[in-house]
Each structure stands twice: as structure tokens, then as C-alpha cells.
Amino acid sequence: MMKFLDQAGWGHASAKPLAGDASTRQYQRLSLNGKSAIMMQDSDGDVDLFARLSRHLTGLGLSAPLILAQAPGLLLLEDLGDGLIANLASDPDMEKILYLTAVDALLELHQHPAPPDIPIASPQTLAQMTDLAFDCYAAGAGADGSAYRDQAITAFIPILEKHGAPCNVMIMRDYHAENILWLPDRKGAAKAGLLDFQDALVGHRAYDLISLIEDARRDVRPATAKACIDHYLANSSQGETGFRTSLSVLGAQRNLRILGVFARLAATRGKPHYVDLIPRVWAHLQTDLQHPALAPIKSILDKALPPPTPDVLQRLKSLCPTP
């Protein structure tokens, strides 16, 4: 690592660890002669893919971190600052400004073809990705999730075929307030700093919008969520009824997966704080499932998934490995 930093001209920089995310990636802020940069270490991941997608986004005029240096498992990135919109959305007016800027970034992204050679979020793929809700959340809660898993996946595929297609834009997948920075000195859509996109797929344009407004980590004000949808519809060629249905269907798919991911993070990585987020995810899922298009899968999920009662949450936490 020191050789990497020496070659990049940052060998004498001071380093301060930064909070990571749910992945194995580690981040440090480097400071040297009044300048700063971010070092990302990801020995298990594909930093080449992150770099390629970052260049794709910046090539569209969006604000992903510039790649300053690159080596296997290591990236030196432009420091876009600490202005997470999750921390700045303190009042309704500011929240609306920040979130509409995030929507502007999606609108710009969706005007361009997805980069080549990234996987497609096909209906079959998205349906299969819900398996964690049954294998990790339901099973961890003491229910027999496996008894309903295949039935639910099979029922979800035709719903996604109808409402989760076409797959024709890049979706970043974890597009939410703790992954977006406010860059007020930039213009237009570039005011939204993009941090997490290395798991990108080619998918439906509603996916990242529902990720933004159905946030697992914070409550987005209903007026802000409505404004985001209205803003996207007003500035795109999407039909309102079909797009709103896609938001609900993709929201249900996403929230099902998150239930399982959070339960798995607690059980396998010793991160019980993710269990505390599950009630919010559950509430989003129940809202999505009210849409008539999801009736075939709702009837299965009502039997398969136990609500996150205090006892269920405690049981999920009890699965965390001890230090």
C-alpha cells in the first residue's frame, strides 16, 4: 500500500479512517499540503469496475469521484467532502431541494445508454434475489421460510416481467441519502455527488428512484417523496400509471431483499445495528404490497414472513457471532 501511495505522490500524507458501509470496503481520508483524497481498499471486490463506472458517470457530467490512482484492490479517489444529504435534510424545504437534485442526477443518467458489460436486472434475476428474505430473515426469525421461497419467486417473475421491464438504463442499486453528497458549488445534476455504484446493473428506471424515497435508514417526508415522483414524471416520457406501478413492484422486490440482507449482516458479520432498521424496511414493504399488481405475491408473503415484533428482532440479534 505504501508503494501505491508513494507512486501516487501521497506517501507522506496523514490518514484518517472513514466510516465504511455494509461491504468489506475500507476508506481513509488522506491529507497532504492542504489537499485531501480518499483511499478505498477492497481486496475482495472489483476496483476496476468501480473505476470504469466512475469514469462513465463523470463522462456524462455527473459527480462521481475522479480516479487519481489505481492498483489491484486499491483506488485513490477525489475527495467530494462530507456533505451527505442524509445529514443535511434537516427541514422540509432543504430536504426537498436535496432530493430533487438527486432526482435530477437520475434524469440525466437515464438519458444515456448503460455502460457495456454490466449484468442485466432481468425479472428472473430480481425475483431470485428475494431469496434472502426467506433464507435469512424468515429463517432467522424462526419461521420456515424455505417452504414458501420457491413459490414466491415463481409468483414474482411474471409481475416483474410486466412491471419491471424494460431494462434499459444503468441502476446504481444503493441510491439513498447516505450515498449521495451535496455539492452546492457545482451546477444542475452535478450537485449530487455519487458514491456507491459498483454493484450497478442494467435495469428499470424506477429502481433507483424507489431506492431514494423508500430509504431503509431514514424517514423521507411524504411531501418530499411525492415531489420526487412528480419531478421525475414531469421531466421524462414515462406514463404515470405504469411508472407508479413499477415503483411499487420494484420497491417490494428491493425491500424483500433488504430484509434478508440486514438479517444476514447481523448473523454473519456481527452487525446487529442493521436489525434496528428492519421495522422501517418492513413498513415500506407493506406499503408497496398494497398495490393490486402485487396481490399474487402478497398472499404468499403474508404466510411466509413474520412481522418484525420485538421478539423477532431480538431473535435476529441473538444470531450475531460473539467477539
Side-chain angles (χ1 to χ4, degrees):
M1 183 173 65
M2 286 308 302
K3 181 179 179 181
F4 168 71
L5 292 176
D6 285 338
Q7 291 176 341
W10 288 81
H12 296 289
S14 60
K16 179 182 179 182
L18 295 176
D21 51 24
S23 73
T24 58
R25 292 182 292 272
Q26 295 179 314
Y27 300 88
Q28 295 183 69
R29 172 168 281 127
L30 307 181
S31 300
L32 180 67
N33 299 327
K35 298 181 179 181
S36 64
I38 303 297
M39 186 172 69
M40 183 177 81
Q41 297 174 265
D42 190 0
S43 57
D44 296 332
D46 184 354
V47 299
D48 291 341
L49 177 60
F50 182 97
R52 182 162 68 88
L53 294 175
S54 180
R55 293 184 178 107
H56 173 77
L57 293 168
T58 55
L60 302 180
L62 297 171
S63 293
L66 296 174
I67 308 301
L68 306 179
Q70 184 174 347
L74 297 169
L75 285 177
L76 191 65
L77 305 172
E78 175 189 15
D79 187 355
L80 295 178
D82 294 315
L84 292 175
I85 70 172
N87 299 331
L88 299 175
S90 56
D91 63 72
D93 291 339
M94 191 63 192
E95 183 185 71
K96 185 176 178 180
I97 290 170
L98 295 169
Y99 273 71
L100 290 183
T101 300
V103 176
D104 284 336
L106 293 180
L107 286 163
E108 181 60 38
L109 177 63
H110 295 168
Q111 291 185 42
H112 305 276
D117 303 324
I118 59 174
I120 297 175
S122 68
Q124 293 77 14
T125 297
L126 291 178
Q128 187 62 49
M129 289 168 68
T130 65
D131 60 352
L132 295 179
F134 307 93
D135 294 344
C136 297
Y137 172 73
D144 185 8
S146 62
Y148 296 97
R149 179 188 58 227
D150 293 346
Q151 181 184 357
I153 290 171
T154 299
F156 217 158
I157 290 175
I159 299 172
L160 287 162
E161 287 175 339
K162 186 174 182 179
H163 303 292
C167 298
N168 56 6
V169 298
M170 173 179 166
I171 59 172
M172 291 176 278
R173 293 184 60 194
D174 286 317
Y175 197 66
H176 57 75
E178 290 191 6
N179 283 336
I180 307 170
L181 294 164
W182 175 237
L183 306 175
D185 295 334
R186 302 192 182 189
K187 295 182 179 180
K191 289 184 176 181
L194 311 177
L195 296 180
D196 192 333
F197 42 78
Q198 61 280 336
D199 294 323
L201 300 172
V202 181
H204 191 284
R205 60 188 62 234
Y207 190 96
D208 281 342
L209 181 56
I210 199 65
S211 171
L212 177 69
I213 61 179
E214 287 191 353
D215 195 326
R217 294 162 177 81
R218 70 180 303 271
D219 295 320
V220 179
R221 294 173 176 88
T224 298
K226 180 180 183 301
C228 287
I229 298 172
D230 291 345
H231 185 62
Y232 191 94
L233 287 169
N235 290 279
S236 69
S237 59
Q238 301 302 298
E240 180 173 354
T241 300
F243 189 73
R244 290 182 182 275
T245 300
S246 295
L247 287 169
S248 294
V249 169
L250 292 169
Q253 183 275 340
R254 177 176 170 78
N255 287 309
L256 275 173
R257 177 168 172 78
I258 292 174
L259 283 178
V261 169
F262 285 177
R264 184 177 63 179
L265 285 169
T268 65
R269 295 192 188 172
K271 297 184 176 184
H273 60 283
Y274 281 100
V275 173
D276 296 329
L277 303 176
I278 283 177
R280 183 181 289 110
V281 178
W282 179 266
H284 290 323
L285 175 61
Q286 300 312 304
T287 298
D288 294 328
L289 289 174
Q290 296 309 305
H291 196 288
L294 288 158
I297 193 157
K298 182 180 186 301
S299 61
I300 301 170
L301 299 179
D302 286 345
K303 295 178 288 186
L305 303 181
T309 63
D311 286 345
V312 163
L313 297 177
Q314 186 54 47
R315 182 184 178 98
L316 291 171
K317 286 187 176 183
S318 73
L319 300 176
C320 287
T322 56

